[in-house]
Amino acid sequence: MIRAAAALTIVAAIVAAAAAPSVKASIVQRGGANPGEFAVTVRLQPIDLTLGSYQGTMRYTPGSLAIIAATTPKGDGTRVVNVADSAKGIVRFAGFTVSGFATQDVLTIVVRPARKLEDANLSADLQVAGDLNGVSVPKDRLIPARGISPDSGLD
């Protein structure tokens, strides 16, 4: 009887963990408007929640690329991007909304790589994210991006 109860407890924990809200970051890349430039977009995919807020960091190897422009989507909340530490390989981003974001894209930077874009070792991490009611997503459910997504450019 004790074994059956323990097994049910384990199954319940697995089901609860699978249903827990999470946010998955990805990095996608497209060609830029000019030769040698690329548009790199950070996307956040909310799972089992409507994303209401986020704060994160995109990192890359310092000196591996030059940022030509940095933009955020408009019209569906407040979003900001900070490139003040780009020489250190850091771009910060954040956003919030009261009604939900219209797109999973959170920022796009146009870059000119010093060598191959893959050599920049791009990553994106979330420090915090929450739903429309202000409920935080647990830190262990904020899934980082490491490198450019394999389906990159397939919009």
Side-chain angles (χ1 to χ4, degrees):
M1 197 60 139
I2 293 174
R3 281 189 168 158
L8 285 175
T9 301
I10 291 171
V11 169
I14 292 170
V15 169
S22 60
V23 181
K24 180 181 179 185
S26 63
I27 302 170
V28 297
Q29 170 250 311
R30 294 180 296 281
N34 298 310
E37 293 180 1
F38 297 92
V40 176
T41 300
V42 174
R43 291 185 175 155
L44 298 180
Q45 177 187 2
I47 301 165
D48 293 330
L49 80 147
T50 299
L51 190 61
S53 62
Y54 59 85
Q55 177 183 321
T57 307
M58 180 175 162
R59 295 182 184 272
Y60 53 90
T61 304
S64 63
L65 51 86
I67 295 179
I68 309 302
T71 60
T72 60
K74 306 287 186 240
D76 65 349
T78 299
R79 300 179 192 245
V80 294
V81 59
N82 180 338
V83 296
D85 288 330
S86 61
K88 297 176 186 175
I90 300 169
V91 175
R92 292 180 175 82
F93 56 90
F96 65 92
T97 180
V98 296
S99 58
F101 295 108
T103 177
Q104 292 183 357
D105 294 359
V106 297
L107 77 99
T108 297
I109 58 173
V110 177
V111 300
R112 182 175 297 122
R115 295 172 295 284
K116 296 188 315 185
L117 187 58
E118 295 79 18
D119 293 342
N121 297 311
L122 294 164
S123 67
D125 294 278
L126 287 170
Q127 283 76 52
V128 295
D131 68 13
L132 290 178
N133 297 314
V135 177
S136 294
V137 175
K139 283 197 176 286
D140 66 337
R141 303 296 293 174
L142 301 175
I143 305 163
R146 299 290 181 256
I148 296 169
S149 295
D151 61 348
S152 185
L154 302 177
D155 291 339

